[in-house]
Amino acid sequence: MSRHVVVIGAGIVGAASALELLRDGHRVTILEPGEPGGPQAASYGNGCWLSVQSVIPPAGPGVWRKVPGYLRDPLGPLAIRWKYFPKVAPWLARYLAAGWTEERVLRVARAMQPLLHDAPALHRRLAEESGVADLIQQRGDIYIYPSRTEFEAEAMAWRIRRQVGIRWVELSAEELHQREPDLSRRYGFGALVEEGGHCTDPGALVAALVAQAQAQGAVLLRLPATGFRIDGNRLTAVGTPSGEIACDAAVISAGAHSRRLAAALGDHVPLETERGYHAVLRDPEVAPRYPLMPSDGKMAITLTRGGLRCAGQVEIAGLDAAPDWRRAEILRDHLLKSFPGLPRDLPAERVEVWMGHRPSTPDGMPCLGPSRRSPDVIHAFGHGHVGLVAGPRTGRLVAQMVGGRAPEIPVAPFSPARFR
């Protein structure tokens, strides 16, 4: 049965959902106040990885011991601004609890693996249909360590990845530097996940997917959603500043701004913004062949169309706080340490910096499923660090739920009801 579906948000999840809904014969209206794929969006500035191995929740056993340090160090890999701490404390308690034991981490990993499986192929399909197949690459991702000792210090995460079907190739120092001759010799061990891929321009990818949806009949309105009209338990309209849009179904995929919309339906999802940063070096003197993640930098290094991008950091400070650009400078400095061939005196105009908002739930899993108020409204947000990689699969699941079909993977672990 064809329905008129309003997709709220044109990030990677909204764009993929729109295309899959159109594929199923629905009429689609997309609400997006910003530029699809523009710098205001998390999709624009992420680390570019299509990492099927990102099944581990952000917090693991023992992370609670580090919270005082996070509060003291405003420039650590995970920082919490003091003024925001009272507001984020309940979310943080759930965040720590999600990874309190190895058993809990494994539970998350088992739920996440089907969502991320085969992500590069799913991305390639959408990219090919949208005329940007060249943006999707699959060479694998390499985690790099000073030595095997540092790799073994992360044994639990790698053990759990293996348990859920993730495989990797261990690289000696010689093998690592044969693959990456420009890499600093301080790194002597690597773990290559051959199934992993990357996108060389996530913003352009999202823009192309939205343009393809429009070419197939979707209507793009540069408006935010303000609420919903529901009669009984059936959705009849989505509100905007310019009036209501009559519709049969809606998808909330507005990233970090989704919490307010979910609350309007009685779904109080503990969604927080994990502020992430990136720095992009234009016209780099080195060209890594693989996406890399240094263990001591905790960041993704990827060669993109715009330059050499290093992305990472987590800052808990809310939606409205001003950026702390020192965090982007830390990423830049890690990049210079990783590649001795880069000049030490980079002029400011060669480095682009960015800050965006990861929409994150405390357990690291997205909120994906129908609203408690109406089965016609599907929540599809809160992907945290896996928004880009999980976008195409999420779009397929959204279309299946809107169409009343059985989802292709188990979605019960992602239900909004888990937070009640």
Side-chain angles (χ1 to χ4, degrees):
M1 179 180 66
S2 176
R3 309 174 79 186
H4 179 201
V5 186
V6 174
V7 176
I8 304 169
I12 184 62
V13 171
S17 297
L19 285 171
E20 297 297 344
L21 288 162
L22 289 164
R23 197 188 307 280
D24 281 358
H26 299 292
R27 186 159 63 94
V28 174
T29 297
I30 304 171
L31 297 182
E32 173 53 66
E35 183 68 25
Q40 83 288 344
S43 300
Y44 170 89
N46 63 67
C48 304
W49 283 36
L50 308 179
S51 48
V52 299
Q53 67 275 12
S54 293
V55 297
I56 306 297
V63 168
W64 62 271
R65 298 186 185 93
K66 301 179 181 179
V67 171
Y70 295 154
L71 288 166
R72 288 194 301 267
D73 185 2
L75 298 179
L78 191 160
I80 306 168
R81 293 198 187 181
W82 269 103
K83 289 183 179 179
Y84 196 67
F85 182 70
K87 185 173 182 179
V88 79
W91 181 91
L92 187 61
R94 287 185 169 191
Y95 172 88
L96 297 173
W100 198 262
T101 65
E102 182 169 340
E103 181 184 1
R104 292 186 184 183
V105 175
L106 178 59
R107 189 182 311 146
V108 170
R110 284 178 170 154
M112 292 294 288
Q113 188 274 334
L115 184 67
L116 308 187
H117 176 66
D118 213 18
L122 296 180
H123 270 273
R124 190 176 300 109
R125 177 196 187 198
L126 293 181
E128 287 173 351
E129 293 173 352
S130 304
V132 289
D134 60 305
L135 296 182
I136 305 301
Q137 305 290 327
Q138 188 173 8
R139 302 190 187 103
D141 308 320
I142 303 181
Y143 294 74
I144 55 176
Y145 299 85
S147 70
R148 173 178 277 279
T149 300
E150 286 78 10
F151 170 74
E152 291 174 348
E154 299 179 2
M156 186 200 75
W158 289 103
R159 180 169 61 249
I160 288 175
R161 288 187 179 108
R162 187 183 296 280
Q163 285 179 264
V164 300
I166 306 299
R167 298 292 178 262
W168 62 92
V169 177
E170 297 185 0
L171 303 176
S172 66
E174 181 181 356
E175 292 168 326
L176 176 61
H177 291 283
Q178 282 178 348
R179 293 174 185 264
E180 290 293 355
D182 294 329
L183 185 64
S184 169
R185 291 285 167 174
R186 64 198 295 267
Y187 296 109
F189 185 84
L192 167 63
V193 181
E194 295 178 303
E195 291 179 75
H198 68 283
C199 175
T200 60
D201 191 335
L205 174 66
V206 171
L209 299 189
V210 173
Q212 176 68 1
Q214 290 179 272
Q216 293 181 9
V219 174
L220 173 63
L221 300 178
R222 299 299 182 83
L223 294 168
T226 57
F228 306 90
R229 180 154 55 88
I230 295 176
D231 294 336
N233 71 338
R234 310 309 304 192
L235 175 71
T236 58
V238 171
T240 79
S242 296
E244 290 188 335
I245 301 172
C247 60
D248 308 300
V251 179
I252 301 178
S253 52
H257 300 278
S258 299
R259 180 175 183 172
R260 173 183 56 82
L261 293 168
L265 295 162
D267 295 313
H268 297 285
V269 177
L271 188 71
E272 188 53 61
T273 166
E274 288 189 43
R275 296 147 56 94
Y277 292 76
H278 85 208
V280 176
L281 173 59
R282 298 191 181 94
D283 303 316
E285 288 79 0
V286 300
R289 301 168 183 175
Y290 295 82
L292 302 169
M293 183 168 290
S295 64
D296 49 356
K298 300 298 182 186
M299 62 179 183
I301 299 174
T302 311
L303 187 62
T304 72
R305 292 203 308 187
L308 189 55
R309 177 180 294 193
C310 49
Q313 302 276 302
V314 174
E315 180 185 43
I316 307 297
L319 275 169
D320 301 321
D324 184 346
W325 293 120
R326 294 177 298 173
R327 302 187 70 82
E329 293 169 1
I330 289 171
L331 293 170
R332 177 205 60 200
D333 292 345
H334 272 300
L335 184 64
L336 297 181
K337 291 177 184 177
S338 299
F339 293 96
L342 294 174
R344 306 296 99 175
D345 53 347
L346 286 172
E349 60 269 19
R350 284 192 61 194
V351 182
E352 169 205 309
V353 296
W354 174 90
M355 188 277 289
H357 300 275
R358 301 183 191 95
S360 298
T361 63
D363 58 13
M365 297 193 294
C367 184
L368 183 55
S371 164
R372 67 187 301 180
R373 180 86 180 276
S374 171
D376 302 324
V377 182
I378 303 298
H379 295 314
F381 58 84
H383 291 71
H385 294 253
V386 298
L388 180 65
V389 58
R393 177 81 67 193
T394 300
R396 291 163 63 96
L397 295 168
V398 164
Q400 289 156 7
M401 286 187 276
V402 168
R405 308 198 311 276
E408 61 190 41
I409 67 168
V411 295
F414 311 132
S415 170
R418 72 188 192 271
F419 296 119
R420 290 176 192 167

